Amino acid sequence: MTELKTGGAQGYLRIATEEAFITQGVLDAYMRLVAEGFDDPGFASLWGFYSSSPSARGVQIRDGLLSLGTKRLADMDAAGIDKGIIALTAPGTHVFQADEAKALTTDANDQLAEACRAHPDRFVGMTAIAPADPAWSAREIQRGADLGFKAVILNGHVNGEYTDHEKYFPIFEAAEALGTPIYLHPQGPSKGLIAPLLERGLDGAVYGFGVDTGLHLLRLIVTGVFDRFPNLKLIVGHGGEALPYWSYRLDYMHAAGVRSNRYEFLKPLKLGAISAYLKTNVFVTFSGMAFPPAIRFCKEVLGMERIMYAMDYPYQYEPDEVSAQDDMELSPEDKRAFFQTNAERIFNL
Ligand code: CA
């Protein structure tokens, strides 16, 4: 194994596309919600742990999230990461009432913009939004673009509501108009989904995140959000939240459901199959999924041009995974696309 270095000696730069941060303001507000017993079991499980756990993992995650400077840069250097595309961590400000959410979101975007200005070669930002106020969020997406951000972070459901509801469409409309992708990131499963996961400690990134986020993306597809916003670009992490692997059965059974009028609300989609949207509107990163067989599978199913590298800092800071992916069985051109050029094109860097 060669020493990991930035600068592209291996034939490509490494751009990590799903990296997280938090502001002290959001962290303090999470701690307040935890103390108040905020009624959201996914949030309570996630931030009840990460906001205060004295474990080595708890401390490392908080330190990493809070750093937009020295520590983050040193960790990126040690792992050979040239650029990090950084977003407010889950669940963002989705858990707050609109006024507090907007104030915290504005501040988070301002802080991230300042860090990106200070380290323009290393940091790229995503615009945080406050989906409790979709019209305001649409304006914040424009402000984010003006600040130089290259995507929008959507941290999953909004207090149990998924964003296929029409009231959230101003967010999609704004992103589509600007050509900026939306990164749909997991958070704890919604209240309606979480019970049997939580009962066995499976609600977090281990599985529940993927269940909730894959479901969220599927809902966006079958509701026709991409028919309404055909140029909307949506990015999901974790190898596509399992949907590529499921795509054959999704297509077959969705078509069968539509043909048989089983559900009055289930309408034919303009592109026909669910998988057609995965190949048209959706891009996939491999955050937390340093698994070459899955990467090669997604190449075959979605196309090499749709898949990207991510680390998932600080939640999965594993330099060994970077070297393992450097060494994976994939042509040099494909590796360059995976680590660098796809991200440059999709995020318009
Ligand atoms: Ca993440």
Side-chain angles (χ1 to χ4, degrees):
M1 189 199 302
T2 51
E3 196 190 344
L4 291 167
K5 284 209 170 95
T6 56
Q10 62 284 347
Y12 44 81
L13 299 176
R14 298 189 197 88
I15 303 176
T17 54
E18 192 209 279
E19 317 308 300
F21 86 111
I22 200 167
T23 62
Q24 190 64 56
V26 171
L27 180 58
D28 290 345
Y30 284 174
M31 289 171 83
R32 192 194 77 231
L33 287 190
V34 169
E36 288 170 359
F38 179 60
D39 183 21
D40 177 339
F43 176 80
S45 173
L46 188 64
W47 282 100
F49 176 74
Y50 282 122
S51 68
S52 57
S53 168
S55 65
R57 178 166 174 85
V59 172
Q60 177 215 318
I61 300 298
R62 284 193 297 280
D63 287 352
L65 285 172
L66 284 165
S67 171
L68 282 175
T70 313
K71 178 183 165 49
R72 182 178 297 262
L73 289 165
D75 286 345
M76 287 168 65
D77 288 343
I81 302 300
D82 291 278
K83 265 186 220 287
I85 305 186
I86 303 171
L88 184 61
T89 198
T93 60
H94 293 205
V95 284
F96 303 109
Q97 299 289 320
D99 284 346
E100 185 176 19
K102 288 186 270 187
L104 288 168
T105 300
T106 302
D107 177 56
N109 285 332
D110 289 344
Q111 289 194 39
L112 182 58
E114 196 183 314
C116 293
R117 276 194 300 273
H119 306 286
D121 299 332
R122 307 302 301 280
F123 295 167
V124 175
M126 295 194 218
T127 308
I129 55 174
D133 188 337
W136 181 88
S137 294
R139 294 194 295 278
E140 190 66 0
I141 288 169
Q142 175 66 60
R143 191 176 79 94
D146 297 341
L147 289 170
F149 293 152
K150 297 297 187 182
V152 174
I153 182 74
L154 176 60
N155 276 300
H157 63 80
V158 186
N159 285 316
E161 199 167 70
Y162 294 89
T163 60
D164 52 275
H165 292 284
E166 196 147 357
K167 72 183 205 194
Y168 296 108
F169 286 6
I171 295 168
F172 300 130
E173 193 177 8
E176 186 193 45
L178 287 166
T180 191
I182 292 181
Y183 202 118
L184 177 62
H185 187 280
Q187 64 146 306
S190 64
K191 236 181 185 176
L193 193 61
I194 196 171
L197 293 156
L198 190 56
E199 197 177 29
R200 291 290 182 265
L202 297 171
D203 53 298
V206 57
Y207 189 64
F209 278 20
V211 173
D212 195 81
T213 313
L215 169 69
H216 197 155
L217 174 54
L218 266 183
R219 286 183 58 129
L220 293 173
I221 294 172
V222 301
T223 310
V225 166
F226 296 105
D227 288 338
R228 179 110 170 228
F229 304 104
N231 296 315
L232 180 61
K233 292 184 277 187
L234 198 118
I235 304 170
V236 286
H238 318 103
E241 311 292 5
L243 297 192
Y245 201 82
W246 269 86
S247 58
Y248 184 90
R249 190 162 172 82
L250 289 170
D251 287 351
Y252 185 92
M253 285 300 174
H254 177 256
V258 170
R259 267 197 313 273
S260 61
N261 294 311
R262 177 168 169 177
Y263 307 96
E264 192 273 326
F265 53 81
L266 199 61
K267 300 291 184 229
L269 296 170
K270 279 188 189 154
L271 299 186
I274 287 173
S275 63
Y277 296 87
L278 298 180
K279 293 172 196 165
T280 303
N281 300 94
V282 176
F283 301 88
V284 165
T285 82
F286 279 80
S287 49
M289 191 77 91
F291 188 38
I295 294 168
R296 289 192 296 266
F297 175 83
C298 272
K299 176 193 169 182
E300 186 177 336
V301 171
L302 300 182
M304 191 62 226
E305 71 283 4
R306 312 195 83 79
I307 65 178
M308 292 175 276
Y309 170 73
M311 171 171 267
D312 203 6
Y313 182 86
Y315 295 101
Q316 196 158 333
Y317 180 66
E318 300 289 349
D320 285 353
E321 293 182 348
V322 180
S323 25
Q325 288 169 94
D326 272 348
D327 295 342
M328 71 184 161
E329 211 178 291
L330 214 56
S331 73
E333 307 80 70
D334 284 355
K335 276 187 207 167
R336 188 158 182 271
F338 179 72
F339 276 103
Q340 177 183 347
T341 55
N342 284 348
E344 289 172 341
R345 187 186 79 252
I346 294 160
F347 287 92
N348 191 27
L349 302 184

